[in-house]
């Protein structure tokens, strides 16, 4: 897929490759979130945010009437009512795959525009993430509990909570606009399609709703990551592309793990050469995603335009240096820009944002095949659905449903579906974000608008405004505000004449 991010995600990228180890050990990425080994969940302090925390008694299963369906769990949501008054708009963030504070902390755009619209801000946590776990510590135990984790249940959660909130506020006439980034952006767009009577519009940033089945080429994502580096420096692209072969050659040496542990400055000795590969791979993918024009700390603390900074590191090395050593130095920028790390926990990364449930989603409905072409700076690879399904069967005792999302929300004809049945959706994308290739990049109708920026990265428009923002980003946000204002004007005009 904050506003994301997993989205972030990345959910799905299951590339089959021949490098060093079998395909099933390749890293999995998702919009809106950051790759983790998921060995344990970190105890990190929550950011201080201008929101009040609430918990809503949510229904476990909205679509059946089995005895367990009516079980209640407490869904977390955040509210900022500082500028709001009765009848004014309600802006809702449709939470994605992680704890809701993370997304709220990285969606400053909504806070920035709240005064103009006198808007109530609501951030709803996605079921099975953060504190919104229906079965507590047992939530991820098996398919019997995880079976209630899917996008349709999440959308229904949002609908029920929003309706209840408006009733409790005695403000049922308040118009609702939903916002979401990455996987959350997909949810926002789908929510507008599924529940048009609840939300008058949706702003879906970096939402790869076309990444399913064969709607776009499966190599699009990794080709885009590679293009980001290639655009900065051909030498940088060639060095990274050649580093995998050097890593593979090194893996055949007698003391490979000891040498790699030393070269990669690991805190503990490596148990697999695949860990070193995944560590590099992750750094390059996520840096391309969050190639923001200003300093940021979404996935990791990074400088402005971090892809350029990585390539500067590579290009400054003397010609005799190995490609692997140069790639390691560049990747270190992603993991240690703050220079706080003396060594790297390559095999012991912690899950700082509560992403446990995403593997389940990729093994059930969020099947987004990805491959690496010869144009990619990653080793050429294919996608083997049978192998992927076997892994899911072994882990969860379930089989993926690769065509379910396109059946539920629209497949190759989704743009025609949107044109005929949809309205009031903004799809915003930046072409430096590899997830943009799975997004809507052209206007579908007069009210389904694509805002595309050449230099934009992963839902950069949702970040807080700064004095250093480039003109193109300021203009993108201005257009979004203008379109939302138009929706609200039309809504209130209809309300007056009703």
């Amino acid at each position: 897929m904050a506003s994301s991010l997993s989205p972030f995600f990345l959910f799905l990228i299951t590339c089959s490759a021949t490098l060093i180890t079998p395909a099933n050990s390749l890293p999995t990425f998702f919009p809106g979130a950051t790759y983790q080994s998921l060995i344990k969940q970190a105890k990190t302090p929550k950011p201080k945010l201008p929101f009040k925390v609430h918990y809503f008694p949510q229904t476990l299963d909205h679509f059946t009437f089995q005895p367990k369906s009516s079980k209640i769990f407490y869904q977390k949501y955040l509210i900022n009512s500082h500028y709001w008054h009765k009848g004014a708009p309600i802006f809702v963030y449709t939470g994605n795959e992680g704890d809701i504070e993370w997304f709220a902390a990285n969606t400053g755009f909504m806070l920035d525009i709240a005064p103009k619209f006198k808007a109530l801000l609501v951030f709803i946590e996605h079921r099975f993430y953060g504190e919104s776990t229906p079965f507590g510590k047992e939530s991820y135990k098996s398919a019997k509990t995880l079976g209630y984790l899917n996008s349709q249940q999440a959308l229904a959660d949002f609908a029920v909570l929003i309706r209840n909130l408006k009733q409790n506020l005695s403000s049922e006439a308040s118009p609702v606009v939903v916002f979401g980034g990455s996987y959350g952006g997909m949810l926002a767009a789908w929510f507008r399609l599924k529940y048009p009577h609840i939300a008058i519009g949706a702003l879906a940033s970096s939402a790869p709703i076309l990444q399913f089945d064969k709607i776009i080429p499966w190599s699009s994502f990794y080709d885009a990551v590679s293009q980001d580096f290639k655009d900065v420096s051909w030498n940088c692209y060639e060095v990274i592309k050649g580093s995998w072969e050097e890593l593979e050659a090194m893996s055949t040496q007698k003391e490979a793990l000891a040498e790699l542990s030393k070269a990669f400055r690991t805190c503990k000795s490596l148990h697999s050469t695949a860990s070193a590969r995944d560590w590099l791979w992750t750094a390059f993918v996520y840096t391309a995603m969050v190639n923001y024009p200003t300093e940021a700390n979404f996935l990791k603390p990074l400088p402005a335009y971090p892809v350029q900074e990585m390539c500067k590191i590579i290009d400054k090395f003397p010609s005799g240096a190995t490609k692997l050593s140069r790639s390691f130095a560049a990747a270190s920028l992603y993991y240690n820009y703050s220079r706080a790390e003396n060594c790297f926990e390559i095999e012991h990364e912690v899950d700082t944002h509560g992403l446990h449930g995403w593997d389940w989603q990729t093994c059930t409905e969020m099947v987004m095949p990805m491959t690496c072409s010869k144009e990619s700076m990653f080793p050429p690879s294919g996608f083997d659905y049978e192998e992927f399904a076997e892994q899911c069967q072994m882990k969860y005792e379930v089989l993926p449903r690769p065509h379910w999302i396109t059946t539920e929300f629209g497949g190759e004809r989704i743009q025609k579906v949107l044109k005929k049945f949809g309205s009031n959706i903004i799809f915003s994308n930046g072409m430096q974000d590899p997830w943009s290739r799975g997004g809507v990049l052209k206007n579908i109708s007069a009210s389904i608008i694509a805002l595309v920026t050449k230099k934009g990265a992963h839902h950069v428009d949702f970040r807080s405004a700064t004095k250093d923002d480039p003109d193109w980003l300021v203009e993108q946000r201005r257009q979004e505000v203008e379109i939302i204002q138009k929706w609200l004007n039309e809504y209130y005009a209809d309300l007056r004449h009703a």
Side-chain angles (χ1 to χ4, degrees), residues 185 197 346 383-384 394 464:
H197 56 294
I346 289 182
F383 176 77
D384 186 334
M394 288 175 60
S464 298

Side-chain angles (χ1 to χ4, degrees), residues 56-81:
F56 178 73
Q58 188 62 265
T59 301
L60 176 64
D61 185 356
H62 299 285
F63 303 110
T64 69
F65 293 89
Q66 301 295 330
K68 192 180 285 188
S69 301
S70 57
K71 171 184 165 63
I72 296 298
F73 72 96
Y74 287 90
Q75 184 169 27
K76 187 175 184 177
Y77 65 103
L78 312 178
I79 281 188
N80 180 309
S81 59

Side-chain angles (χ1 to χ4, degrees), residues 323-454:
K323 292 178 179 178
L324 184 59
S325 66
R326 284 181 274 183
S327 291
F328 165 78
S332 297
L333 176 78
Y334 176 76
Y335 296 103
N336 197 25
Y337 172 60
S338 62
R339 299 185 182 275
E341 305 296 333
N342 295 317
C343 59
F344 296 111
E345 292 281 4
I346 289 182
E347 291 180 334
H348 301 88
E349 278 257 33
V350 294
D351 178 14
T352 56
H353 301 297
L355 311 175
H356 320 30
W358 193 252
D359 280 353
W360 166 266
Q361 289 194 259
T362 63
C363 267
T364 50
E365 59 174 359
M366 293 293 172
V367 182
M368 302 165 80
M370 297 191 178
T371 60
C372 300
S373 72
K374 292 181 179 179
E375 301 303 313
S376 166
M377 67 185 191
F378 301 97
S381 64
F383 176 77
D384 186 334
Y385 172 76
E386 296 301 325
E387 181 182 2
F388 171 64
E390 184 179 343
Q391 294 168 33
C392 293
Q393 177 74 43
M394 288 175 60
K395 186 168 185 177
Y396 295 112
E397 298 185 337
V398 298
L399 290 174
R401 297 180 185 176
H403 311 299
W404 175 244
I405 290 295
T406 52
T407 301
E408 176 72 2
F409 300 111
E412 292 185 12
R413 295 171 59 85
I414 181 60
Q415 299 193 54
K416 291 184 178 179
V417 171
L418 286 167
K419 185 173 184 179
K420 186 171 183 179
F421 299 107
S423 64
N424 291 7
I425 303 175
I426 302 169
F427 289 101
S428 64
N429 283 284
M431 295 309 292
Q432 291 202 359
D433 175 16
W435 288 109
S436 67
R437 303 312 191 272
V440 175
L441 302 178
K442 293 182 179 179
N443 291 353
I444 293 176
S445 68
S447 64
I448 300 183
I449 308 298
L451 298 180
V452 182
T453 57
K454 184 178 179 181

Side-chain angles (χ1 to χ4, degrees), residues 25-137:
S25 66
L26 270 177
T28 297
F29 301 98
F30 47 94
T34 174
Y35 170 78
Q36 308 285 350
S37 300
L38 301 185
I39 295 174
K40 60 181 179 180
Q41 185 167 359
K43 299 293 184 182
T44 54
K46 298 292 185 184
K48 292 183 178 179
L49 300 169
F51 293 92
K52 290 184 178 179
V53 178
H54 296 265
Y55 296 87
F56 178 73
Q58 188 62 265
T59 301
L60 176 64
D61 185 356
H62 299 285
F63 303 110
T64 69
F65 293 89
Q66 301 295 330
K68 192 180 285 188
S69 301
S70 57
K71 171 184 165 63
I72 296 298
F73 72 96
Y74 287 90
Q75 184 169 27
K76 187 175 184 177
Y77 65 103
L78 312 178
I79 281 188
N80 180 309
S81 59
H82 184 72
Y83 303 101
W84 187 76
H85 61 78
K86 185 177 177 180
I90 300 174
F91 290 172
V92 176
Y93 185 88
T94 50
N96 15 338
E97 68 290 17
D99 64 72
I100 196 61
E101 284 91 353
W102 183 35
F103 299 111
N106 287 279
T107 313
F109 173 67
M110 290 175 67
L111 278 167
D112 290 345
I113 66 175
K116 173 182 175 61
F117 293 103
K118 304 293 188 290
L120 178 72
L121 302 183
V122 184
F123 281 73
I124 307 176
E125 193 161 70
H126 194 298
R127 59 167 55 203
F128 282 85
Y129 293 102
E131 295 180 40
S132 302
T133 49
F135 301 95
K137 293 181 179 179

